[in-house]
Amino acid sequence: YIGGNVKSHRTEDGFLWEEGPNSFAAQPSIVRISHELGIDDQLVFADESLPPWVNHNGKLHPLPKGQGGKGPKGQLELVFGPNGVLKFALAGELLSWPGKIRAGVGALLGHFPVAEGKEETIREWVTRILGEEVFLRCIDPFVSGVYAGNPETLSMSAALSKINRIETYAYGIDWNKFGAI
């Protein structure tokens, strides 16, 4: 146990994980600041080829992750790649079958848009589109760790602005009025 907001845990099968805000986006500005502070030699970067993991009921589960490709190639990797959404949905054990079906309906068949003028929290956005189970088991632990904040109060448009812009754009396409992309 390290104190403060960070706690170390080791499972019976040897996995070590940290709880709490223990990561940041490796943007050039962050790396530059750490260099200026003389602590850049202490930075530990994640292996980008590996998926993020969450702990649920004492077991670690991988979350879907692409392989860094951009554009259509990146989208195909995210769906069909070795750590993709398809493998997560069919072989993953993190979500129940009802949770997988609810997420699939929201992602593939569509969902209603947010009410006009409403600023959604991350929780409201995820549950509207993918369901409560996806929020509780996938998004809540991930967002809490990255942002060290509460996804029930964090603004979707502020914290995850790129995803928010994609949805706004998608609803502007005439044939996509139920958000099925």
Side-chain angles (χ1 to χ4, degrees):
Y1 178 81
I2 301 183
N5 289 327
V6 179
K7 298 176 185 172
S8 299
H9 299 276
R10 187 174 300 277
T11 65
E12 291 178 14
D13 40 349
F15 288 102
L16 176 69
W17 84 91
E18 310 294 335
E19 286 184 4
N22 61 0
S23 62
F24 60 88
Q27 298 173 353
S29 59
I30 299 285
V31 176
R32 187 182 67 249
I33 289 169
S34 67
H35 176 73
E36 291 170 2
L37 293 171
I39 59 171
D40 55 328
D41 61 331
Q42 298 175 40
L43 294 177
V44 178
F45 294 98
D47 181 344
E48 289 296 321
S49 68
L50 299 175
W53 295 74
V54 295
N55 178 19
H56 178 70
N57 287 340
K59 184 175 179 188
L60 291 173
H61 300 272
L63 293 177
K65 182 180 186 316
Q67 297 178 310
K70 303 291 183 201
K73 179 183 177 208
Q75 292 169 348
L76 289 172
E77 289 173 355
L78 179 59
V79 174
F80 299 107
N83 297 318
V85 172
L86 197 58
K87 180 179 178 184
F88 177 78
L90 297 177
E93 299 175 5
L94 180 59
L95 300 177
S96 67
W97 277 104
K100 292 175 184 183
I101 291 168
R102 168 61 182 91
V105 166
L108 301 174
L109 298 181
H111 49 273
F112 290 104
V114 65
E116 185 74 31
K118 174 162 177 40
E119 183 171 348
E120 286 183 298
T121 65
I122 293 174
R123 181 183 189 136
E124 290 169 335
W125 187 86
V126 172
T127 55
R128 176 173 60 86
I129 295 172
L130 302 172
E132 182 78 4
E133 190 172 325
V134 169
F135 172 77
L136 293 173
R137 297 185 185 182
C138 302
I139 305 303
D140 186 29
F142 184 75
V143 170
S144 298
V146 171
Y147 289 96
N150 183 349
E152 295 188 33
T153 59
L154 282 171
S155 162
M156 181 65 189
S157 61
L160 301 171
S161 59
K162 190 181 292 185
I163 295 171
N164 195 61
R165 282 193 311 271
I166 291 169
E167 183 186 28
T168 302
Y169 174 77
Y171 276 114
I173 301 171
D174 286 336
W175 55 264
N176 191 47
K177 290 304 177 194
F178 290 105
I181 58 172

